Amino acid sequence: MCLAAKSKSLMDQSNVVFNVLCMPPPVTYSYLRLGYNLEGSWKGDCADGFFCLPCGVRRGYTESLKRGAIAGRYGQLSQQWSSSLTQCDDTQEMVKAVLCPCVVAHDVRAMVQPGAHPFFDFLCLPPFAVYGLVRNTYGIGSEWPHPALEDICVGLFFYPCALNRSLREAAYQKTVSATNAVAGVIGSAQAKVQQLGAKALVNLGQLGQSSAP
């Protein structure tokens, strides 16, 4: 358990105590595989995480030592939540979080890690772990005495609100990333057009000089 928790911490700068208490070794194994873009499947994650636990933990730890931290805002504590914990605009989502927390937990993880498989998450991912996963992934700060304390207590004791907040945040961050990507493409296209226009003007000027008597 401790070695698996350390492996995840090396990859995403997360708190080891939170990982020990909230992230089972099979989930950590799957999280590492997707985070490092390694080949595999959810069935393999289950097999290695459950039936070959020592080998799976050792493999994950070796990969995290070899590859190190992944790029992103992981654990930076520099951002803020885009919504409040008690925001309940969507009654349907709140009911879904109360009655089907595993489904909402997978919806959140699928946005954080697009390769996540629903069957694996339904079987292995504790819904109360999602809050801390989202907060750490997007580098969101905490007003609690320690961020890990917030991740554990809010995720465990206020799980419907925590799940909904995590879902809203993941959707918001996905929208922001898509918007930034589109803006980047537009900016690159505009720069290219400007370069081509400048080059065309230069060519026209040279043509005019060469054709002058």
Side-chain angles (χ1 to χ4, degrees):
M1 293 286 289
C2 294
L3 195 60
K6 180 63 175 178
S7 302
K8 183 176 179 296
S9 180
L10 289 172
M11 189 188 83
D12 67 357
Q13 312 302 310
S14 55
N15 183 268
V16 175
V17 175
F18 169 80
N19 293 337
V20 169
L21 296 177
C22 301
M23 298 292 289
V27 177
T28 298
Y29 186 89
S30 171
Y31 184 80
L32 291 171
R33 181 179 65 80
L34 293 176
Y36 288 132
N37 294 316
L38 303 175
E39 294 183 357
S41 67
W42 72 273
K43 296 178 182 178
D45 295 341
C46 286
D48 293 339
F50 281 113
F51 304 113
C52 192
L53 181 59
C55 296
V57 171
R58 188 273 311 161
R59 188 181 194 185
Y61 184 64
T62 301
E63 288 293 336
S64 64
L65 285 176
K66 179 181 178 181
R67 299 175 184 273
I70 56 179
R73 299 199 304 264
Y74 296 91
Q76 293 182 4
L77 305 178
S78 59
Q79 305 296 313
Q80 295 182 347
W81 289 99
S82 61
S83 64
S84 67
L85 180 63
T86 56
Q87 181 176 329
C88 299
D89 297 337
D90 193 333
T91 305
Q92 183 177 356
E93 287 297 334
M94 178 59 69
V95 173
K96 185 178 179 181
V98 172
L99 300 180
C100 306
C102 293
V103 175
V104 180
H106 166 70
D107 291 342
V108 175
R109 190 188 176 203
M111 285 188 278
V112 175
Q113 287 191 316
H117 197 280
F119 289 166
F120 177 87
D121 289 345
F122 295 162
L123 292 172
C124 305
L125 179 63
F128 59 81
V130 170
Y131 185 87
L133 185 66
V134 168
R135 192 197 59 75
N136 183 76
T137 297
Y138 299 120
I140 298 173
S142 173
E143 296 180 354
W144 287 52
H146 195 282
L149 186 63
E150 176 185 359
D151 296 341
I152 296 169
C153 293
V154 173
L156 185 60
F157 299 112
F158 304 96
Y159 81 90
C161 295
L163 280 174
N164 277 337
R165 191 184 203 185
S166 302
L167 184 65
R168 291 192 301 271
E169 188 64 34
Y172 169 77
Q173 294 291 343
K174 185 177 180 180
T175 301
V176 170
S177 297
T179 302
N180 290 340
V182 171
V185 171
I186 294 174
S188 298
Q190 290 176 340
K192 187 66 175 178
V193 169
Q194 290 176 353
Q195 291 176 358
L196 292 174
K199 186 176 181 180
L201 290 175
V202 172
N203 291 336
L204 287 173
Q206 292 175 350
L207 181 61
Q209 291 176 359
S210 63
S211 62

